[in-house]
Amino acid sequence: MSLPDGLPMTVPAPGLPARVRIHEVGPRDGLQNEQAVVPVEIKAEFIRRLAATGLDTIEATSFVHPRWVPQLADAEQLMPLLGGPELAAGTRLPVLVPNDRGLERALALGVREVAVFGSATESFAKANLNRTVEESLAMFEPVVAKAAAAGLRVRGYLSMCFGDPWEGAVPVDQVVRVSRQLLDLGCDELSLGDTIGVATPGHVAALLTALGAAGVPAGRLAVHFHDTYGQALANTLAALQQGVTTVDASAGGLGGCPYAKSATGNLATEDLVWMLHGLGIETGVDLGRLTATSVWMAAHLGRPSPSRTVRALAGTPSHQES
Ligand code: MG
């Protein structure tokens, strides 16, 4: 059942920001972790539809070697399809670049914003990057410097900020240290990832408090929560209470958790928007159009969206695809 207009009631709570910027990761982090490989035209249409919902930052793809992520092997074909006037002029379309080669490919296509992907733990750095944490930072340094010299905005992702499947609990001071190093390389923004979804709100508050004490302002941070254990929204609220105003989310909850073999991975953008709008926090996003977009995408993927909000609203007449 849904409310008559399919929108949440609005009851503000104290101590929260007036506006939150959603960093939409569905086309990249979402599709990268879906089994199905989506045709490039459908990806372009997906991104256009997402932009039409009011999302102003949409991570489009990754310039990783096609062998490692076949789902995103069409980055060169995708980006030119996004150059048309259908996208709002202000829409930011960052892309992931794993290394210098990836940055060169992105620069050749006129990309204006990139992200690098680091790890807070040695085990995940070894598994994902085949490097130590220090070696991976050394690899990113020239990439970030070259991107900044080209006038690009650079985001740093830091994964395993709370728990690690090999190492268990990740010490807060270890995360603070690697965070500082990534920001000192020249990253404009740092996205703190709970890669296996094991964080709980007190842990989030503790990490953000420690980062603040280490001189990292909340304005340079984003949070990237996974809903594997149903904690993503609670953790998001804890982060908002600490002054964070940028939140990563994936339309429809695309991208099951690749490390937990779970159906629920990324926080669904619809679930996030429902909570934020219910709190009276502006996002600029049209929840009905977003839900319709995720229902459309789920049909292409051949599996229903795991988002609770999409499931609750999908039958609402005002949220049907028109
Ligand atoms: Mg993710």
Side-chain angles (χ1 to χ4, degrees):
M1 289 302 286
S2 186
L3 295 165
D5 61 359
L7 299 173
M9 298 170 285
T10 299
V11 184
L16 296 172
R19 186 176 177 90
V20 160
R21 187 174 66 81
I22 297 174
H23 185 108
E24 170 62 45
V25 298
R28 198 278 299 169
D29 188 14
L31 293 184
Q32 165 177 348
N33 294 306
E34 290 288 337
Q35 295 243 312
V37 176
V38 177
V40 69
E41 297 80 11
I42 300 295
K43 289 178 184 170
E45 177 67 14
F46 182 40
I47 291 168
R48 280 194 287 270
R49 287 180 185 229
L50 290 172
T53 72
L55 287 161
D56 59 14
T57 309
I58 305 169
E59 199 161 293
T61 186
S62 171
F63 285 83
V64 66
H65 194 288
R67 191 188 311 141
W68 306 126
V69 184
Q71 292 93 334
L72 303 183
D74 54 11
E76 254 92 9
Q77 289 76 49
L78 175 63
M79 295 311 290
L81 297 178
L82 303 176
E86 301 91 341
L87 279 178
T91 308
R92 293 163 56 179
L93 297 171
V95 301
L96 196 68
V97 295
N99 49 34
D100 186 62
R101 173 80 190 112
L103 176 62
E104 286 295 335
R105 291 168 61 203
L107 283 170
L109 288 163
V111 162
R112 300 300 310 148
E113 191 163 340
V114 295
V116 297
F117 194 89
S119 169
T121 67
E122 294 294 345
S123 300
F124 189 65
K126 191 75 188 164
N128 195 50
L129 302 165
N130 198 27
R131 283 172 171 78
T132 67
V133 169
E134 288 301 325
E135 286 166 355
S136 59
L137 291 168
M139 176 177 73
F140 296 142
E141 186 172 15
V143 177
V144 175
K146 188 188 283 187
L152 272 56
R153 199 195 287 249
V154 184
R155 160 180 261 226
Y157 278 104
L158 193 59
S159 49
M160 302 297 176
C161 287
F162 299 93
D164 174 291
W166 299 279
E167 300 181 20
V170 181
V172 164
D173 57 357
Q174 179 177 327
V175 181
V176 170
R177 190 179 71 246
V178 185
S179 294
R180 272 254 60 111
Q181 288 175 295
L182 259 178
L183 287 168
D184 290 346
L185 290 184
C187 292
D188 300 290
E189 179 178 85
L190 184 67
S191 174
L192 304 167
D194 180 17
T195 314
I196 55 172
V198 293
T200 44
H203 198 164
V204 173
L207 175 58
L208 291 169
T209 301
L211 282 163
V216 179
R220 287 183 73 186
L221 296 173
V223 286
H224 185 113
F225 291 125
H226 284 178
D227 211 25
T228 323
Y229 293 86
Q231 305 300 300
L233 280 180
N235 290 337
T236 300
L237 187 58
L240 299 180
Q241 287 166 337
Q242 296 292 322
V244 170
T245 59
T246 301
V247 180
D248 297 2
S250 177
L254 284 179
C257 184
Y259 305 103
K261 289 191 167 54
S262 157
T264 47
N266 287 310
L267 168 60
T269 313
E270 289 86 352
D271 296 8
L272 174 64
V273 168
W274 182 274
M275 182 180 80
L276 294 176
H277 289 185
L279 286 162
I281 297 172
E282 277 182 50
T283 66
V285 174
D286 182 322
L287 180 58
R289 292 184 88 163
L290 180 59
T291 301
T293 297
S294 290
V295 169
W296 170 85
M297 195 65 211
H300 282 287
L301 289 168
R303 77 169 184 117
S305 164
S307 160
R308 302 290 180 88
T309 300
V310 170
R311 290 181 178 206
L313 292 177
T316 308
S318 60
H319 292 72
Q320 297 286 344
E321 184 63 41
S322 55

